[in-house]
C-alpha cells in the first residue's frame, strides 16, 4: 500500500479508537450508576455522561473523518470484503453517515426532549396518567420523523430508525417476517391455552438469594462465560456492559419468591456477554470489537437462556443439582413438572414477564403500532385504545389500565418511536437458525448438553459469530452460515416441537 494511504488509514484508526474508548468509558459509568452509585451521585453523573457523549459526538462528526474515508475509498474497494481493514472502513462510513446526517442541533434538542419525557413517564406510569405523557409522546413522534427524514433515500420512514440498532433491516423485511410468524404463533398460543393451565407454584416458594446466585453463576461458568474477564452484580434491570473484550460485566436481579428471575436473567446476560468476550482480541480498540446488531445480540442471549437453558436435556443434567441446592423446595417436584413450570405458556399483559412464545406477540404489537404512528395513520391520542384492541385480538387479554398497557415499556419514553422493538423478535428468529446450524455442524451438541458440556456449542458460535464482532451485518452472518436470507422456519420448528401440547 502506498505510504500515503497507510498514513490515512492509521489516522482513521487512531480517531476511531478514541471514539470507541469514549463510548466504553460511558458504558463503565453507566454500569457504576446502575449497580453501585449512591443516589447523591446522580446529578454529577448525568453531567459526566453528557460531557463524554458531547465530546464523542464532536469527534464522530469531525469532517476530517469524512475526508479520510473519501481518501480511502479506492483502497477499501481493492481489499477483500472480509478483511479487517475493508470491514473497518465500511462500518466507519456507515456510522459517520448516520452521525452527520442528523443536524447536531436537532439531535441535541431531541436528547433534551427524551430526558424530559423520561422524567414525566416515571411519574405517569405509577399514576396511570397517559394524558400527562401524551404531549411529550406526540413530540417524540415528530422528532422521530424529522430525524428519519434526514435519510430521504429510505423506502420507509421507519427504516433509518431501524437501521440504528439493526443495520440493513427495513420495515418491509421485518413486517413480512413478522406477518408470517404471527400466523404460526397465534394458533400455537391458542393450543397451549386450550390444553389447560400448568402449575408453576414450585417456582414461587422461598428461595434464598445466596443459593440462587451461586447456582446461576455455576451454570454461566459452565456455559463458558469467563469470570476472569467478567463479573456479576445486581441491578434493578439486568444488563450486560462490555468495557473491553477483557472486561465484560453482567447484572442480575433476585426475587426470593420467583426462582426463574435471577436464574434465567443470568443465563440471558451470560449469552450477551459470551458474544462480547468471544470477539477476536486483536480487534480491541476498534469499532469492530463489539456485537454487530441488537438482533444478533438477542439471538445469543435467547439461545443460551431459552434454547439451551429451558431445554429438557439441559435440565436432565442440572435438575438433580438444583434439587440438591433446594431440597425442601424441590425435593418432591419431579423433573417433568419442573420442566413444564419453566416453560408455561400463558398470554399476559407485561412483555418482560412473558413466556418465550407469547413474548413475540408483545413485540409485534409494539412494532406495528410504532409504524402506524410514524406513518401518521395512528394518532397518539388514539394509541391507548389501539393498544387494548391489539392485545385483545392477538393475546386475548386486556389491561385494566394504561399502566400495564401503553405505559409499561420505557422505550418510547426515553428514545425514538421506531427502531426499538424489532430486534427482540428478530433475535428469537435468529437464535433457532444459528442453533440449528451449530447442530448441523456438530450433531453431538444436544447429547453433550445432557452431560452438562457446552464447549462444542460455544466454540462453534465463537467461530461462526462471536469472533467477527461487527465485521458483518446480521444479514451477512445469516447468509454466510445458511447460504440464504433470514427465514422463520427453524424458529417455528423449534417452538412447535417444544411447545405443542400432547395430542395438539
Ligand atoms: Zn437481552
Amino acid at each position: 500500500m502506498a505510504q500515503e494511504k497507510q498514513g490515512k488509514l492509521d489516522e482513521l484508526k487512531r480517531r476511531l479508537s478514541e471514539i470507541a474508548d469514549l463510548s466504553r468509558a460511558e458504558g463503565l459509568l453507566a454500569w457504576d450508576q446502575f449497580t453501585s452509585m449512591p443516589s447523591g451521585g446522580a446529578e454529577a453523573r448525568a453531567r459526566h455522561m453528557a460531557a463524554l457523549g458531547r465530546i464523542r459526538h464532536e469527534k464522530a462528526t469531525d469532517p476530517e473523518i469524512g475526508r479520510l474515508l473519501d481518501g480511502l475509498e479506492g483502497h477499501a474497494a481493492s481489499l477483500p470484503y472480509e478483511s479487517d481493514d475493508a470491514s473497518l472502513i465500511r462500518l466507519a462510513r456507515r456510522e459517520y453517515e448516520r452521525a452527520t446526517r442528523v443536524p447536531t442541533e436537532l439531535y441535541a434538542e431531541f436528547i433534551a426532549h427524551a430526558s424530559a419525557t423520561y422524567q414525566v413517564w416515571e411519574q405517569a406510569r405509577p399514576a396511570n396518567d397517559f394524558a400527562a405523557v401524551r404531549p411529550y409522546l406526540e413530540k417524540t413522534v415528530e422528532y422521530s420523523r424529522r430525524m428519519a427524514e434526514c435519510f430521504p433515500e429510505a423506502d420507509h420512514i421507519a427504516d433509518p430508525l431501524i437501521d440504528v440498532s439493526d443495520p440493513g433491516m427495513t420495515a418491509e423485511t421485518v413486517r413480512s417476517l413478522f406477518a408470517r410468524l404471527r400466523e404460526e404463533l397465534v394458533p400455537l398460543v391458542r393450543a397451549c391455552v386450550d390444553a389447560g393451565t400448568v402449575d408453576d407454584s414450585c417456582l414461587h416458594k422461598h428461595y434464598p438469594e445466596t443459593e440462587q446466585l451461586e447456582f446461576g453463576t455455576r451454570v454461566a461458568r459452565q456455559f463458558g462465560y469467563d469470570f476472569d474477564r467478567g463479573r456479576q452484580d445486581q441491578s434493578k434491570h439486568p444488563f450486560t456492559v462490555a468495557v473491553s473484550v477483557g472486561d465484560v460485566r453482567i447484572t442480575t436481579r433476585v426475587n426470593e419468591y420467583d426462582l426463574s428471575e435471577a436464574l434465567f436473567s443470568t443465563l440471558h446476560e451470560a449469552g450477551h456477554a459470551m458474544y462480547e468476550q468471544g470477539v477476536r482480541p486483536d480487534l480491541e480498540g476498534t469499532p469492530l470489537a463489539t456485537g454487530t446488531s441488537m438482533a444478533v445480540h438477542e439471538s445469543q442471549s435467547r439461545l443460551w437462556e431459552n434454547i439451551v437453558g429451558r431445554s429438557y436435556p439441559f435440565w436432565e443434567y442440572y435438575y438433580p443439582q438444583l434439587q440438591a441446592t433446594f431440597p425442601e423446595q424441590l425435593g418432591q417436584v419431579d423433573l417433568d413438572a419442573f420442566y413444564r413450570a419453566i416453560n408455561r405458556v400463558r398470554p399476559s399483559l407485561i412483555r418482560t414477564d412473558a413466556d418465550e412464545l407469547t413474548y413475540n406477540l408483545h413485540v409485534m404489537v409494539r412494532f406495528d403500532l410504532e409504524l402506524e404512528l410514524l406513518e401518521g395513520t395512528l394518532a397518539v391520542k388514539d394509541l391507548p385504545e389501539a393498544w387494548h384492541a391489539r392485545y385483545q385480538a392477538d393475546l386475548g387479554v386486556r389491561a385494566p389500565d394504561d399502566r400495564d398497557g401503553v405505559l409499561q415499556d420505557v422505550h418510547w419514553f426515553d428514545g425514538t418511536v421506531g427502531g426499538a422493538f424489532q430486534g427482540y423478535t428478530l433475535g428469537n428468529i435468529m437464535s433457532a437458525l444459528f442453533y440449528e446450524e451449530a447442530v448441523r455442524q456438530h450433531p453431538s451438541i444436544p447429547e453433550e448438553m445432557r452431560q452438562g458440556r457446552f464447549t462444542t456449542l460455544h466454540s462453534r458460535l465463537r467461530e461462526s459469530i462471536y469472533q467477527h464482532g461487527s465485521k458483518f451485518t446480521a444479514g451477512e452472518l445469516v447468509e454466510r452460515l445458511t447460504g440464504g436470507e433470514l427465514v422463520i422456519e427453524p424458529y417455528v420448528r423449534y417452538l412447535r416441537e417444544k411447545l405443542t401440547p400432547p395430542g395438539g
Side-chain angles (χ1 to χ4, degrees), residues 268-269 272 298 301-302 424:
H268 181 98
E269 300 306 329
H272 281 303
E298 281 301 308
S301 54
R302 299 307 168 103
Y424 294 115

Side-chain angles (χ1 to χ4, degrees), residues 201-267:
S201 57
C202 65
L203 304 175
H204 299 284
K205 297 172 182 170
H206 181 242
Y207 291 95
E209 174 173 314
T210 314
E211 285 81 0
Q212 283 201 50
L213 288 172
E214 193 278 323
F215 188 83
T217 49
R218 194 193 322 160
V219 178
R221 188 173 275 122
Q222 272 171 288
F223 275 179
Y225 175 52
D226 180 358
F227 277 88
D228 291 334
R229 296 187 293 138
R231 55 180 284 134
Q232 177 172 266
D233 296 86
Q234 293 193 45
S235 64
K236 198 165 149 216
H237 303 288
F239 65 94
T240 297
V241 62
V243 185
S244 67
V245 177
D247 179 359
V248 185
R249 307 175 186 198
I250 62 175
T251 70
T252 191
R253 174 178 61 196
V254 180
N255 177 345
E256 292 205 322
Y257 291 92
D258 185 349
L259 179 62
S260 51
E261 255 187 61
L263 175 60
F264 290 111
S265 78
T266 295
L267 304 190

Side-chain angles (χ1 to χ4, degrees), residues 478-492:
V478 170
E479 161 85 39
R480 285 167 61 90
L481 292 175
T482 68
E485 292 186 345
L486 182 60
V487 290
I488 62 166
E489 282 70 21
Y491 185 51
V492 171

